[in-house]
Amino acid sequence: MSIQIRKTLLQVETTLIEGGKTAPLPLKLYSAFAVVKNPWAGKGFVEDLKPEIHAGAPVLGELLTRMIIEAVGSGESVEGYGKAAVVGLDGEIEHASALIHTLRFGNHYRNAVGVKSYLAFCNTRGPANAPIMIPLMDKNDEGRRSHYLTIQAAIPDAPAADEILVALGASVGGRPHHRIGDRYQDLKDLGHDVTNPAGV
């Protein structure tokens, strides 16, 4: 049985002025949401989550990726990207994690936008209207701090106690007046090897 989707939502946010100063290029943030029935709700502790992951995650990955790409215009134009899930109060954090932490979900997005860096994520539990945070990072350069962004949203009627809210986010551009450098300069200043920042 595939995933049961109750509703979807697409949000586009454009920042024209930041810090009282006009942005050289407006920052555009895109987010796509799907509110789905938690496939494990009411079943007690489920040991093997794999059948429902295999049935639902690819459907959600394809749907949300298509929503983002259609809104942005192309995968090439996406610069920052991320994912998130919020499970309703009757579910486990593991249920939120299950639908987004699988290649069957994320690879739809990765392939569509062409990436080198990992897909930033957040998974939480909450009631309807809970804050949804989608962390973003540059799709090709995890050290590019201008693209460390977070999309914030809330859906008044989701997630219900027996639902999961699943989301993808994208940015076209970075913070309008970014001026904190990148992590490579920090590593250089600290005398660390850029290719081995943890020194292991």
Side-chain angles (χ1 to χ4, degrees), residues 4 11 58 76 98 100 129 138 148-149 177 197:
Q4 182 181 328
Q11 177 177 286
E76 215 171 67
I100 64 170
N129 211 37
D138 187 286
Y148 292 174
L149 294 156
H177 309 300

Side-chain angles (χ1 to χ4, degrees), residues 6-20:
R6 178 166 69 84
K7 68 191 294 185
T8 62
L9 174 69
L10 180 69
Q11 177 177 286
V12 182
E13 177 184 341
T14 305
T15 300
L16 303 171
I17 298 171
E18 179 72 14

Side-chain angles (χ1 to χ4, degrees), residues 134-200:
I134 312 173
L136 306 180
M137 65 186 302
D138 187 286
K139 69 179 183 180
N140 290 317
D141 184 352
E142 61 270 13
R144 190 181 181 195
R145 289 188 181 136
S146 59
H147 286 57
Y148 292 174
L149 294 156
T150 304
I151 295 172
Q152 301 178 67
I155 299 177
D157 68 344
D162 64 349
E163 291 181 329
I164 303 173
L165 185 116
V166 180
L168 289 180
S171 78
V172 175
R175 294 189 311 279
H177 309 300
H178 57 91
R179 50 199 188 275
I180 61 170
D182 60 38
R183 73 191 303 266
Y184 308 112
Q185 187 59 51
D186 276 2
L187 290 168
K188 185 178 175 183
D189 292 347
L190 291 166
H192 290 264
D193 181 355
V194 172
T195 61
N196 183 22
V200 293

Side-chain angles (χ1 to χ4, degrees), residues 67-81:
M67 289 172 66
I68 290 282
I69 299 305
E70 287 177 358
V72 174
S74 73
E76 215 171 67
S77 297
V78 171
E79 296 180 24
Y81 80 142

Side-chain angles (χ1 to χ4, degrees), residues 36-68:
V36 305
K37 176 83 171 175
N38 183 340
W40 303 285
K43 296 182 178 178
F45 186 85
V46 178
E47 187 66 43
D48 183 8
L49 306 181
K50 193 177 286 187
E52 292 83 3
I53 292 171
H54 287 192
V59 174
L60 293 170
E62 191 279 329
L63 169 67
L64 295 172
T65 297
R66 179 164 30 88
M67 289 172 66
I68 290 282

